[in-house]
Amino acid sequence: MSNEKILHSEIDIKDVPRTVKREWVSWIRFILIIVILYGAIHYTIGIKIVSGDSMNPTIQDRDIVVVSKLFFTPERGDIIVVKDPEGFDIVKRVIGLPNDHVRIKDGIVYINQQVLDEPYIIGQSMDIDEVVVGTDSYFIMGDNRTPGESLDSRDPSIGTISKEQIVGEKLF
């Protein structure tokens, strides 16, 4: 009987390296899947928490915004996330596209001498002289047009933004 115990012990010892190898392979697969999922989510979708009232009434302070970081071309009216000059993410609406002429007179936004229909805004903007949006640049504004509520392209410290500054487009 003691011989049988020794044989079973020897068999178990021989199987241990295979089991350990399988466990390592399983852990490596798991880690690779986690890394791939993290990369896919991090570089394609972002989650941002809005700070401030510049996008009222459309988006409120502390709302959560899901952002697509891939496969979008900004269009007029889109809500986008942009890196400001200090490196902070800000949420704004695309008003002017490349080569557009943007002007605000009596609180009304004109794009290429046409009134821009903006049913989503509150407040009235201060007037600005005509701005010509450069190639690969965009004119952005917050929906809250009350003076002092939105730091956007109307302010010389921001101005028009380049396509490279755009982090992504709001999905929901």
Side-chain angles (χ1 to χ4, degrees):
M1 191 166 300
S2 64
N3 284 342
E4 285 180 32
K5 285 184 181 179
I6 293 172
L7 286 177
H8 286 296
S9 297
E10 288 176 15
I11 291 172
D12 290 342
I13 292 172
K14 289 179 184 177
D15 286 341
V16 168
R18 278 192 204 147
T19 305
V20 170
K21 188 175 181 180
R22 282 187 201 139
E23 284 183 26
W24 275 103
V25 169
S26 179
W27 275 107
I28 290 170
R29 267 193 220 140
F30 174 74
I31 291 169
L32 283 174
I33 289 169
I34 295 297
V35 168
I36 290 168
L37 284 174
Y38 171 79
I41 291 170
H42 181 73
Y43 293 106
T44 60
I45 294 175
I47 297 174
K48 305 291 178 187
I49 298 174
V50 176
S51 177
D53 296 320
S54 70
M55 285 301 291
N56 282 347
T58 309
I59 301 171
Q60 306 296 317
D61 184 31
R62 296 191 181 116
D63 278 356
I64 296 173
V65 177
V66 178
V67 178
S68 168
K69 296 181 178 182
L70 291 177
F71 309 120
F72 72 93
T73 301
E75 296 178 10
R76 190 177 339 278
D78 286 351
I79 296 175
I80 60 174
V81 175
V82 177
K83 282 264 187 243
D84 76 1
E86 276 92 49
F88 294 104
D89 288 342
I90 57 174
V91 180
K92 301 296 175 195
R93 187 177 299 272
V94 176
I95 300 298
L97 301 174
N99 304 312
D100 276 350
H101 295 247
V102 180
R103 178 172 65 118
I104 302 174
K105 184 175 181 193
D106 299 325
I108 299 170
V109 177
Y110 293 86
I111 305 292
N112 303 320
Q113 287 86 40
Q114 301 293 316
V115 173
L116 180 63
D117 182 32
E118 299 183 290
Y120 42 79
I121 68 168
I122 60 170
Q124 184 173 347
S125 176
M126 295 185 334
D127 294 350
I128 62 167
D129 292 331
E130 183 173 86
V131 174
V132 179
V133 182
T135 306
D136 289 330
S137 293
Y138 297 87
F139 191 94
I140 58 171
M141 292 173 64
D143 288 355
N144 187 347
R145 302 295 167 77
T146 305
E149 289 295 327
S150 180
L151 186 61
D152 51 39
S153 291
R154 296 172 291 174
D155 189 297
S157 69
I158 302 287
T160 59
I161 54 113
S162 68
K163 190 168 186 163
E164 290 76 33
Q165 288 176 271
I166 300 174
V167 174
E169 176 183 32
K170 177 185 173 279
L171 291 175
F172 49 90

